[in-house]
C-alpha cells in the first residue's frame, strides 16, 4: 500500500519536473536555434555573395558547408545551419501568383546555388492572415529576412523593422529604370524601403463589349458619358455598374477612382499627406455625391458579392461595367474569356492619362538573419530577369520600363505603355498612398457608405481617420 | 502505525495541518499543478496582459507601453462602428438565445413524445452542431444571397420565385434597414434591429438548436415520471403539468443553455466573417470582427485590446448574475 503510494508520488513529481523542464527548455531551444542562425549566416553570406563578388571560393563554401568541419563550427550542428538559407514571407500561394513567385525563385536559385528558400507564408486572399502572423513575428523580434508588403506608404507601418534601400537602388541601377514619379511616391521620409516587383493599375473600367455594341455604346471617357451609358443600360434592364463589397475593399476601390477623376492627380495625391486642408476641398464632397449617384446605378446586393462575382456579372452580360484593378483581367482570362470580344478595358471614367498604381514589394528586415542572401533576393526581385519571370504569370506589369514586352499579353502591353507615358498617382485602397491604420477605416467607412449613403457620417469618419495617415 | 493512532495521541494544530496535507491531497495537488500553472499563465495571465495593453498607446508593429489611461476605451466607444457593433451583438444575442431556447425546447418535447424513430430525429437535429461555423456561414450565405431580384434571383429568392411566392422575396443578408430606427442624441448609430442580422440568427439557430434540444432532452429525461403522474391523478391538465412541473424542473437546464449559448453569441466571429463579412455596411459587424480588423488590419493593438476587454466584460455581465442567482436559489432549496 505504502509502496504504491510512493510510486504514484514519484510519478507525479516526475511529471511536474518534466513539465517545468519542458517549459524552461523551450526558450533555451530557440536560443540555440537562433545561434545556429547567426553562426550560419556568414556561410550564407558567402554563398549569397556568389553573383555579387568575384570570389569564386564562395560557391565552394556553400557546397562544402555540409562537411563535418562546417557542421562542427556550429553549436547545435543542425543540418541546415551550414547551407545558405533565405526566409521570405509572401502570401502568393495560389494560381498565377504562386507560379510567378516560383519562377522568380528559379532565377534566384540559378544565381545563388545552394541557398535554401523558405517561404514561411500563410495562405489567403490579400494577405490579411499573413499580415497577422508577420506582425506577431516582428513584435517577437524574429523577423523573416524579407517580406511582401504593398509598396508605398503602407510600408510606413514597418519602417522601424526595415533597412533603408535608397543606396541599394542606386547600386543596382533600379533608379535608372523605374519612373521618377514612382520612385518619388515610394519614398518615406526621404528613403525607399522596399523593392517593387510588379505594378497593378487600380483605375480600370471593364465592360462587356457585346452589351455595349448591342446598345451602341462606347466605353465612357468622362463621368457625363458614364452616366449617359448607365442610363441607356438601365433602360434595358441591365445593371449598369457591378459593384462588390464582400471582400471589404470594393467600395473604397471605386471611390478612389471617383476621387481621382474629380480632383485630378495632383490634388488627389495631396489628400494622402495627412493634411486636413486638402480634405476641406469642396470637390471632395462633390466626389462623394458622384459616388452616391454611381451607386444608384449599381446592383443592390453588393454587400453579398465579391469583386470577382461583380466581374463575372460583366462577363455574363448581366452587368455592363465594373471598376476594378487589373487583376480582374486575370480573372477574366482564367474563365477562358477573350480580350475585346468577351471583355473590354479602358481607364476609369475621367481618369484617362493617369495611371493609378499599386505594387507588391519586398523589403529587407532590420537584423535579418540572412542579410546577404536577402540582398541577393532583392537584387533578383528588382532585376529585369526576375520581373519578367514573375509578372507575365502574375498578370501584372514590371515596375521597370525596360522589360521585354513580347512576354506579355495584349492588355499588359497596353498597360506598360500607359505606365511609361502617363502621370502616376498612388492607390489609397491598396496601400500605395496610405498606412494600414488608415486603409482599415477607409475601406470600412466606404463599405458603410455603399450601404447607407450617409454623406455626413462618411465625412465625419474620414476626418477622424486623417491622423492615421501619418502613423 | 495507523492514522487513528496519530489522531489519538497528538490532537494538536500541527497534526491537523498534517492531516490536511495528506499524501492523497499532495498527489492531487501535484497532478493539478501543471494545468493550474498553464491556465494561470495562458488564460488569466494573458487576460491581465490584454487589460494592461488596453491602457497603453500601442499602435503599430512596435510595442509602445506609454500609459494613456482609458483613452482607447473612449476612442472605440465614440466610434460609429463600435457603437454599431454593440447594438448588433445585443440584438444577435437576444434573438439567438430566444430562438434557440424555444426551438430547442419544442424539438426536445417532440422527440421526448416517444415517437417512432426517435434516435433518427435526435441525430438529424443534432447533426448541424458537428459542422463548423465556417461551413454554416458559407452555405447559408449562398442561401441568403438575394441576387438581383426580382429579375435574377439567387438562393432562397430563386426558390420563392419558382414557388410563385415572389412577394416573400427579400434582400436578406443585404438588407440595409434597421427597425425600428431611432437615434438618441448620445448615439452615433441608428438603434434598432438590423434586418440583415435575422438571416444570420437563422443560420446560427440551425446550427445550435439541436444542441439545445439535446440539453433539454436530458433535462426532460431527468424528471421523474411519478411527479407528473401524481399531478395527473390530482386532475391537472397536460398544459398544467407542463407549466407547473416540467418547465420549473427544466430551469437549471435553461440556465446552462443560456450560459453556453450566450458566450458563443457574444464571442461570435467565424459565422459572421464567412456569412456576411460584417456587411452591409456594418449592419452585421460584431465586436469579434472589430477586434480582428482593428488589431491585425489597422495595427491598432491597444484599441483591439480594449475592445477585447469590453467583450470579456459583456460575457461577464451575462453570466455572473445568472451564477449568483443560481447560487442563491440553490441555497434556498
Amino acid at each position: 500500500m505504502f509502496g504504491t503510494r510512493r510510486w504514484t508520488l514519484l510519478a507525479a513529481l516526475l511529471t511536474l519536473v518534466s513539465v517545468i523542464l519542458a517549459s524552461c527548455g523551450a526558450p533555451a531551444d530557440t536560443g540555440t536555434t537562433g545561434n545556429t542562425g547567426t553562426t550560419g549566416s556568414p556561410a550564407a553570406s558567402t554563398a549569397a555573395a556568389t553573383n555579387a563578388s568575384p570570389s569564386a571560393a564562395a560557391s565552394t563554401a556553400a557546397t562544402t558547408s555540409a562537411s563535418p568541419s562546417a557542421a562542427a563550427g556550429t553549436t547545435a550542428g543542425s543540418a541546415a545551419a551550414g547551407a545558405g538559407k533565405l526566409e521570405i514571407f509572401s502570401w502568393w500561394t495560389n494560381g498565377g501568383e504562386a507560379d510567378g513567385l516560383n519562377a522568380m525563385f528559379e532565377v534566384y536559385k540559378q544565381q545563388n546555388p545552394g541557398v535554401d528558400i523558405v517561404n514561411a507564408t500563410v495562405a489567403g486572399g490579400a494577405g490579411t492572415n499573413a499580415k497577422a502572423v508577420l506582425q506577431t513575428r516582428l513584435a517577437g523580434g524574429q523577423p523573416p529576412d524579407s517580406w511582401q508588403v504593398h509598396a508605398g506608404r503602407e510600408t510606413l507601418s514597418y519602417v522601424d523593422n526595415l533597412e533603408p534601400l535608397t543606396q541599394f537602388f542606386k547600386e543596382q541601377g533600379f533608379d535608372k529604370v523605374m519612373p521618377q514619379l514612382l520612385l518619388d511616391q515610394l519614398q518615406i521620409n526621404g528613403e525607399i524601403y522596399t523593392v517593387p516587383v510588379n505594378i497593378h493599375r487600380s483605375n480600370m473600367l471593364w465592360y462587356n463589349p457585346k452589351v455595349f455594341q448591342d446598345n451602341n455604346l462606347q466605353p465612357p471617357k468622362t463621368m457625363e458619358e458614364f452616366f449617359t451609358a448607365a442610363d441607356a443600360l438601365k433602360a434595358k434592364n441591365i445593371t449598369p455598374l457591378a459593384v462588390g463589397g464582400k471582400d471589404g475593399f470594393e467600395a473604397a476601390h471605386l471611390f478612389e477612382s471617383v476621387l481621382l477623376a474629380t480632383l485630378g492627380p495632383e490634388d488627389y495625391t495631396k489628400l494622402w499627406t495627412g493634411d486636413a486642408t486638402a480634405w476641406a476641398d469642396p470637390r471632395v464632397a462633390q466626389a462623394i455625391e458622384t459616388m452616391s449617384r454611381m451607386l444608384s446605378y449599381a446592383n443592390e446586393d453588393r454587400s453579398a458579392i465579391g469583386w470577382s462575382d461583380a466581374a463575372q456579372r460583366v462577363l455574363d452580360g448581366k452587368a455592363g461595367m465594373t471598376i476594378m484593378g487589373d487583376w480582374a483581367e486575370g480573372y477574366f482570362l482564367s474563365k477562358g474569356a477573350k480580350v475585346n470580344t468577351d471583355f473590354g478595358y479602358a481607364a476609369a471614367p475621367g481618369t484617362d492619362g493617369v495611371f493609378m498604381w499599386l505594387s507588391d514589394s519586398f523589403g529587407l528586415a532590420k537584423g535579418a538573419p540572412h542579410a546577404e542572401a536577402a540582398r541577393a533576393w532583392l537584387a533578383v526581385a528588382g532585376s529585369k530577369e526576375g520581373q519578367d519571370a514573375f509578372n507575365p504569370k502574375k498578370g501584372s506589369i514590371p515596375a521597370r520600363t525596360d522589360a521585354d514586352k513580347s512576354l506579355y499579353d495584349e492588355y499588359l502591353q497596353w498597360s506598360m505603355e500607359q505606365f511609361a507615358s502617363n502621370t502616376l498617382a498612388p492607390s489609397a485602397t491598396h496601400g500605395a498612398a496610405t498606412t494600414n491604420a488608415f486603409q482599415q477605416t477607409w475601406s470600412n467607412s466606404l463599405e458603410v457608405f455603399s450601404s447607407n449613403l450617409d454623406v455626413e457620417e462618411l465625412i465625419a469618419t474620414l476626418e477622424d481617420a486623417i491622423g492615421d495617415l501619418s502613423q | 502505525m495507523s492514522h487513528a493512532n496519530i489522531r489519538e495521541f497528538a490532537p494538536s494544530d500541527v497534526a491537523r495541518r498534517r492531516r490536511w496535507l495528506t499524501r492523497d491531497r499532495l498527489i492531487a495537488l501535484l497532478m493539478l499543478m501543471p494545468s493550474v500553472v498553464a491556465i494561470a499563465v495562458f488564460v488569466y495571465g494573458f487576460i491581465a496582459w490584454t487589460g494592461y495593453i488596453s491602457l497603453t498607446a500601442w499602435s503599430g508593429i512596435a510595442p509602445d507601453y506609454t500609459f494613456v489611461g482609458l483613452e482607447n476605451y473612449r476612442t472605440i466607444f465614440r466610434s460609429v462602428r463600435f457603437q454599431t457593433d454593440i447594438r448588433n451583438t445585443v440584438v444577435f444575442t437576444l434573438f439567438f438565445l430566444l430562438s434557440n431556447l424555444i426551438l430547442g425546447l419544442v424539438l426536445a418535447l417532440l422527440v421526448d413524445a416517444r415517437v417512432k424513430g426517435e434516435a433518427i430525429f435526435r441525430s438529424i437535429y443534432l447533426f448541424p452542431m458537428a459542422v463548423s461555423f465556417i461551413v454554416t456561414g458559407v452555405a447559408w450565405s449562398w442561401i441568403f444571397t438575394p441576387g438581383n431580384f426580382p429579375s435574377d434571383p439567387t438562393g432562397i429568392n430563386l426558390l420563392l420565385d419558382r414557388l410563385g411566392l415572389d412577394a416573400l422575396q427579400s434582400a436578406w443578408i443585404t438588407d440595409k434597414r434597421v427597425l425600428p430606427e431611432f437615434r438618441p442624441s448620445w448615439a452615433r448609430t441608428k438603434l434598432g434591429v438590423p434586418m440583415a442580422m435575422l438571416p444570420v440568427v437563422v443560420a446560427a439557430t440551425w446550427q445550435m438548436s439541436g444542441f439545445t434540444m439535446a440539453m433539454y432532452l436530458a433535462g426532460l429525461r431527468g424528471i421523474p415520471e411519478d411527479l407528473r403522474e401524481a399531478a395527473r391523478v390530482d386532475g391537472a391538465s397536460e398544459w398544467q403539468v407542463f407549466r407547473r412541473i416540467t418547465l420549473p424542473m427544466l430551469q437549471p437546464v435553461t440556465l446552462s443553455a443560456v450560459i453556453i449559448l450566450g458566450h458563443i453569441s457574444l464571442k461570435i466571429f467565424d459565422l459572421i466573417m464567412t456569412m456576411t463579412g460584417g456587411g452591409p455596411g456594418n449592419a452585421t459587424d460584431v465586436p469579434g470582427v472589430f477586434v480582428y480588423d482593428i488589431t491585425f488590419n489597422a495595427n491598432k493593438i491597444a484599441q483591439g485590446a480594449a475592445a477585447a476587454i469590453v467583450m470579456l466584460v459583456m460575457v461577464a455581465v451575462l453570466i455572473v448574475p445568472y451564477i449568483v442567482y443560481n447560487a442563491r436559489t440553490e441555497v434556498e432549496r
Side-chain angles (χ1 to χ4, degrees):
Chain A
M1 178 84 190
F2 235 86
T4 38
R5 274 218 185 139
R6 201 169 290 157
W7 279 115
T8 333
L9 193 68
L10 195 66
L13 266 173
L14 269 175
T15 320
L16 187 68
V17 168
S18 58
V19 164
I20 289 169
L21 275 182
S23 58
C24 296
D29 248 14
T30 29
T32 43
T33 347
N35 277 340
T36 340
T38 32
T39 43
S41 70
S45 63
T46 41
T50 334
N51 71 326
S53 80
S55 113
S59 66
T60 43
T63 44
T64 55
S65 61
S67 74
S69 68
T74 60
T75 42
S78 151
K85 196 181 152 193
L86 168 70
E87 191 183 22
I88 71 154
F89 207 94
S90 160
W91 54 85
W92 288 325
T93 52
N94 261 318
E97 301 179 333
D99 294 343
L101 187 65
N102 284 331
M104 206 154 48
F105 282 166
E106 285 309 316
V107 175
Y108 180 83
K109 281 175 189 159
Q110 275 166 24
Q111 297 180 6
N112 305 275
V115 179
D116 230 5
I117 305 176
V118 178
N119 185 3
T121 197
V122 181
T128 314
N129 302 329
K131 277 185 198 170
V133 175
L134 175 64
Q135 192 176 342
T136 318
R137 288 192 55 172
L138 292 179
Q142 296 190 321
D145 298 306
S146 179
W147 64 84
Q148 185 184 345
V149 58
H150 282 136
R153 200 148 184 86
E154 188 178 305
T155 317
L156 184 64
S157 315
Y158 302 103
V159 157
D160 294 337
N161 304 88
L162 286 171
E163 292 286 352
L165 294 174
T166 316
Q167 192 57 36
F168 181 78
F169 266 63
K170 287 206 180 99
E171 284 163 23
Q172 298 286 333
F174 294 165
D175 57 336
K176 303 238 167 36
V177 290
M178 294 182 187
Q180 189 56 44
L181 258 174
L182 175 69
L183 293 167
D184 291 347
Q185 287 166 5
L186 281 178
Q187 279 185 17
I188 292 168
N189 308 328
E191 292 274 6
I192 295 176
Y193 285 91
T194 58
V195 179
V197 193
N198 68 345
I199 297 287
H200 273 297
R201 187 175 185 176
S202 162
N203 56 328
M204 285 302 299
L205 175 89
W206 307 91
Y207 63 95
N208 186 312
K210 197 171 172 303
V211 169
F212 268 56
Q213 230 163 32
D214 293 350
N215 295 283
N216 292 320
L217 293 170
Q218 292 294 319
K221 282 206 158 50
T222 63
M223 278 297 171
E224 290 86 73
E225 286 179 30
F226 171 83
F227 287 117
T228 316
D231 278 326
L233 291 170
K234 200 172 188 176
K236 290 282 175 68
N237 215 2
I238 296 168
T239 309
L241 183 69
V243 181
K246 193 156 194 194
D247 299 312
F249 72 88
E250 291 93 335
H253 187 103
L254 172 61
F255 187 52
E256 68 180 12
S257 279
V258 178
L259 265 182
L260 179 64
T262 319
L263 284 119
E266 210 166 294
D267 288 334
Y268 162 85
T269 310
K270 272 188 199 147
L271 290 176
W272 318 115
T273 55
D275 181 4
T277 54
W279 285 93
D281 192 320
R283 284 175 302 168
V284 172
Q286 191 193 323
I288 297 176
E289 287 301 332
T290 310
M291 169 84 172
S292 184
R293 202 175 147 206
M294 284 176 104
L295 288 173
S296 70
Y297 289 95
N299 45 308
E300 281 294 318
D301 63 345
R302 48 189 176 265
S303 77
I305 69 170
W307 68 265
S308 53
D309 303 313
Q312 185 63 43
R313 286 190 188 177
V314 173
L315 205 54
D316 294 343
K318 289 177 181 170
M321 302 173 267
T322 189
I323 289 178
M324 187 39 62
D326 56 11
W327 45 92
E329 194 223 1
Y331 176 80
F332 290 134
L333 296 179
S334 77
K335 293 284 160 184
K338 297 263 177 321
V339 66
N340 293 334
T341 52
D342 299 318
F343 69 95
Y345 58 87
T351 66
D352 198 22
V354 186
F355 190 108
M356 191 173 351
W357 64 272
L358 58 120
S359 162
D360 297 296
S361 67
F362 284 90
L364 173 62
K366 213 168 240 177
H370 316 98
E372 281 312 312
R375 277 176 183 275
W377 160 248
L378 295 178
V380 169
S383 70
K384 182 165 180 277
E385 204 187 347
Q387 301 213 344
D388 275 347
F390 174 74
N391 284 302
K393 292 200 164 75
K394 156 85 170 152
S396 48
I397 64 169
R400 304 166 65 105
T401 47
D402 63 346
D404 181 359
K405 276 201 181 125
S406 65
L407 296 168
Y408 297 84
D409 68 28
E410 185 202 313
Y411 162 74
L412 292 174
Q413 287 185 9
W414 175 82
S415 181
M416 286 160 91
E417 278 159 26
Q418 296 264 308
F419 180 63
S421 61
N422 280 359
T423 308
L424 302 183
S427 155
T429 311
H430 305 285
T434 56
T435 58
N436 277 330
F438 183 82
Q439 276 170 54
Q440 183 267 331
T441 319
W442 166 254
S443 302
N444 186 257
S445 59
L446 276 147
E447 219 45 72
V448 172
F449 182 75
S450 166
S451 155
N452 67 10
L453 303 179
D454 188 333
V455 178
E456 276 170 38
E457 188 182 310
L458 175 64
I459 291 177
T461 322
L462 289 181
E463 273 172 359
D464 283 353
I466 290 175
D468 286 343
L469 278 166
S470 45
Q471 65 157 328
Chain B
M1 214 203 281
S2 77
H3 294 282
N5 286 342
I6 300 177
R7 225 174 288 144
E8 243 167 67
F9 291 115
S12 67
D13 277 346
V14 181
R16 214 173 294 148
R17 220 174 293 145
R18 229 178 245 155
R19 222 179 306 137
W20 181 82
L21 201 73
T22 58
R23 277 207 182 76
D24 272 349
R25 287 191 189 221
L26 190 66
I27 290 168
L29 263 179
L30 284 173
M31 290 298 211
L32 284 174
M33 226 35 187
S35 46
V36 167
V37 170
I39 287 174
V41 172
F42 293 110
V43 176
Y44 297 99
F46 283 124
I47 288 176
W49 177 246
T50 306
Y52 169 64
I53 294 296
S54 75
L55 304 175
T56 68
W58 187 350
S59 177
I61 309 280
D64 175 0
Y65 299 122
T66 319
F67 185 79
V68 294
L70 297 176
E71 187 58 38
N72 292 313
Y73 292 88
R74 260 176 33 128
T75 310
I76 59 170
F77 274 112
R78 260 177 40 87
S79 78
V80 185
R81 183 173 177 189
F82 197 67
Q83 290 188 2
T84 314
D85 291 354
I86 298 284
R87 173 199 78 191
N88 293 344
T89 206
V90 167
V91 168
F92 179 75
T93 303
L94 284 178
F95 278 76
F96 176 68
L97 281 179
L98 272 178
S99 60
N100 263 301
L101 292 178
I102 293 171
L103 197 63
L105 181 60
V106 169
L107 289 177
L109 288 170
L110 289 177
V111 169
D112 192 43
R114 313 272 170 205
V115 285
K116 248 190 191 161
E118 181 205 312
I120 295 173
F121 283 114
R122 209 171 47 205
S123 305
I124 289 175
Y125 294 140
L126 203 52
F127 262 141
M129 202 188 78
V131 176
S132 99
F133 265 130
I134 304 280
V135 178
T136 310
V138 172
W140 281 90
S141 83
W142 291 334
I143 295 175
F144 278 123
T145 297
N148 201 359
F149 74 100
S151 63
D152 181 20
T154 60
I156 195 169
N157 277 352
L158 183 61
L159 187 71
L160 291 170
D161 183 55
R162 294 283 157 84
L163 291 173
L165 297 169
D166 294 33
L168 293 179
Q169 288 183 345
S170 163
W172 305 119
I173 52 172
T174 63
D175 200 327
K176 303 157 188 166
R177 286 171 301 162
V178 175
L179 299 174
E181 183 183 323
F182 67 105
R183 190 184 214 156
S185 57
W186 50 266
R188 286 182 78 185
T189 188
K190 295 169 195 155
L191 300 186
V193 176
M195 286 296 117
M197 195 54 110
L198 298 182
V200 182
V201 171
V202 169
T205 306
W206 173 82
Q207 170 134 16
M208 293 309 292
S209 59
F211 168 75
T212 323
M213 174 208 73
M215 289 185 77
Y216 274 125
L217 201 54
L220 284 171
R221 296 281 153 87
I223 301 172
E225 192 53 38
D226 17 336
L227 272 181
R228 288 186 256 196
E229 211 43 56
R232 285 192 193 106
V233 169
D234 286 347
S237 69
E238 276 311 305
W239 170 248
Q240 279 173 323
V241 170
F242 174 71
R243 178 72 191 78
R244 300 282 170 202
I245 295 176
T246 312
L247 264 190
M249 295 289 282
L250 284 177
Q251 204 208 332
V253 176
T254 308
L255 170 74
S256 314
V258 164
I259 288 176
I260 292 170
L261 297 173
H263 92 272
I264 289 176
S265 84
L266 287 172
K267 296 193 300 192
I268 194 97
F269 171 81
D270 30 16
L271 180 70
I272 302 281
M273 210 58 183
T274 49
M275 194 165 165
T276 65
N282 287 332
T284 58
D285 199 47
V286 287
V289 177
F290 178 83
V291 170
Y292 177 76
D293 204 15
I294 207 99
T295 309
F296 294 117
N297 286 341
N299 295 339
K300 294 175 180 169
I301 313 284
Q303 284 183 30
I309 293 293
V310 172
M311 281 174 74
L312 178 76
V313 169
M314 284 193 307
V315 175
V317 162
L318 172 89
I319 288 175
V320 171
Y322 264 98
I323 293 173
V324 171
Y325 166 78
N326 194 41
R328 276 207 199 121
T329 44
E330 284 292 285
V331 170
E332 275 166 27
R333 267 180 220 152

